Amino acid sequence: MARLNVWRGAVLGLAALYFLVPLAASVVFTVDVPGRGVTFDAYRQIVSTDGFGSSLLLSLELAAATIALVLLLTVPAVVALRLGAPRLRAVVEVVCSLPLVVPPIAFVAGIATVLKWGPDHLSRTPLFQTFVAVQNPDFPVVLVLAYVVMALPFVYRALDAGLGAIDVRTLVEAARSCGAGWTQALLRAVLPNLRGALLNAAFLTLALVLGEFTVAQLLGFRPFAVWIVAVGGEQAQLSVAVSVLSLLVTWALLLALAGAGGRTRTASSRG
């Protein structure tokens, strides 16, 4: 047991060095200015830099829309699989895992081809305005649709694991026996027991949207990740400072998620 604890500590220490040393080097790069010493001007300039607020707000809006849409699509689907079609779980799992197999560059090439094909063939139909609307730079719906597809593997795994920890059939049958409809049974009996899984799925989707670059860049939009790269070509220290700040915010969200999940499990065990 003592030897196991030593090896465990060694592995954890190496993992900590692997993550913390590059982070520390990035922080030093942002605050150590040659000829001026230590300064935090790079962090103070973040808020005032052109495009920071708009790009971050756009990414947060895209993340909120993506989380809402992907949960709206997947939660009823996975619950229905558990209740009425358990043999189709393997098929749905394979379908939801396909975005991990298709490279993002191929995925965005297909989207761009469809967007170019639409106006050429549908210019005289009402659908032409739809192709224009989904590419609105103020809120590109096409990015939301792309992110929903990319988030499917993570959301499905999180929800499937959450459903595996509860007896969905018993909960739904109990709610139905009390006079609740299918929608009420889902909202009042199933979803409260999936709070941790929903939080996991939402956090993974948020992290994906905030960090996604390829699809947004190739389609010509400028959310937060694309803005960071653009700024990096002009102001290296500012770009690294934004990256460090976004990483710290992501860690804070992860800690908040872990705390919320722990409180959920405690409340469930007390109940």
Side-chain angles (χ1 to χ4, degrees):
M1 182 62 67
R3 182 176 299 179
L4 180 62
N5 291 333
V6 171
W7 280 106
R8 184 182 302 170
V11 171
L12 291 177
L14 290 175
L17 290 176
Y18 179 80
F19 288 104
L20 294 180
V21 169
L23 179 60
S26 300
V27 173
V28 171
F29 175 76
T30 59
V31 300
D32 187 14
V33 179
R36 297 177 55 189
V38 178
T39 177
F40 293 92
D41 290 343
Y43 293 94
R44 285 192 287 265
Q45 292 174 3
I46 291 177
V47 179
S48 60
T49 302
D50 184 36
F52 169 76
S54 60
S55 62
L56 180 59
L57 180 61
L58 176 59
S59 290
L60 293 177
E61 291 175 348
L62 293 173
T66 303
I67 291 170
L69 183 57
V70 73
L71 291 180
L72 184 64
L73 293 174
T74 53
V75 171
V78 294
V79 172
L81 284 176
R82 290 276 178 172
L83 294 177
R87 295 183 179 180
L88 293 178
R89 283 183 58 196
V91 178
V92 175
E93 184 174 355
V94 171
V95 172
C96 291
S97 300
L98 286 178
L100 296 176
V101 180
V102 180
I105 189 67
F107 180 54
V108 71
I111 296 175
T113 301
V114 173
L115 293 178
K116 292 178 181 178
W117 172 87
D120 293 337
H121 295 80
L122 302 174
S123 59
R124 298 182 180 180
T125 67
L127 290 177
F128 175 75
Q129 296 299 326
T130 302
F131 275 86
V132 175
V134 298
Q135 301 178 71
N136 184 359
D138 294 332
F139 186 78
V141 179
V142 63
L143 285 185
V144 175
L145 300 178
Y147 292 157
V148 166
V149 175
M150 297 173 67
L152 273 179
F154 312 106
V155 174
Y156 174 79
R157 292 288 184 179
L159 295 178
D160 187 63
L163 287 172
I166 62 177
D167 191 348
V168 183
R169 187 177 298 276
T170 301
L171 288 174
V172 173
E173 289 178 354
R176 294 281 292 166
S177 65
C178 293
W182 287 104
T183 303
Q184 289 181 322
L186 178 63
L187 295 177
R188 297 186 178 183
V190 178
L191 291 187
N193 291 279
L194 285 179
R195 189 177 304 171
L198 293 174
L199 287 174
N200 288 332
F203 173 77
L204 292 173
T205 305
L206 175 65
L208 184 147
V209 174
L210 290 180
E212 201 286 319
F213 171 80
T214 305
V215 175
Q217 170 69 15
L218 294 181
L219 290 181
F221 302 108
R222 197 175 185 183
F224 193 54
V226 178
W227 177 82
I228 291 177
V229 176
V231 171
E234 304 170 358
Q235 306 178 51
Q237 282 188 320
L238 180 62
S239 173
V240 176
V242 173
S243 299
V244 171
L245 182 62
S246 63
L247 181 61
L248 294 177
V249 170
T250 303
W251 282 2
L253 291 174
L254 179 59
L255 292 176
L257 176 63
R263 289 193 297 270
T264 301
R265 288 191 295 269
T266 302
S268 300
S269 62
R270 290 178 179 176

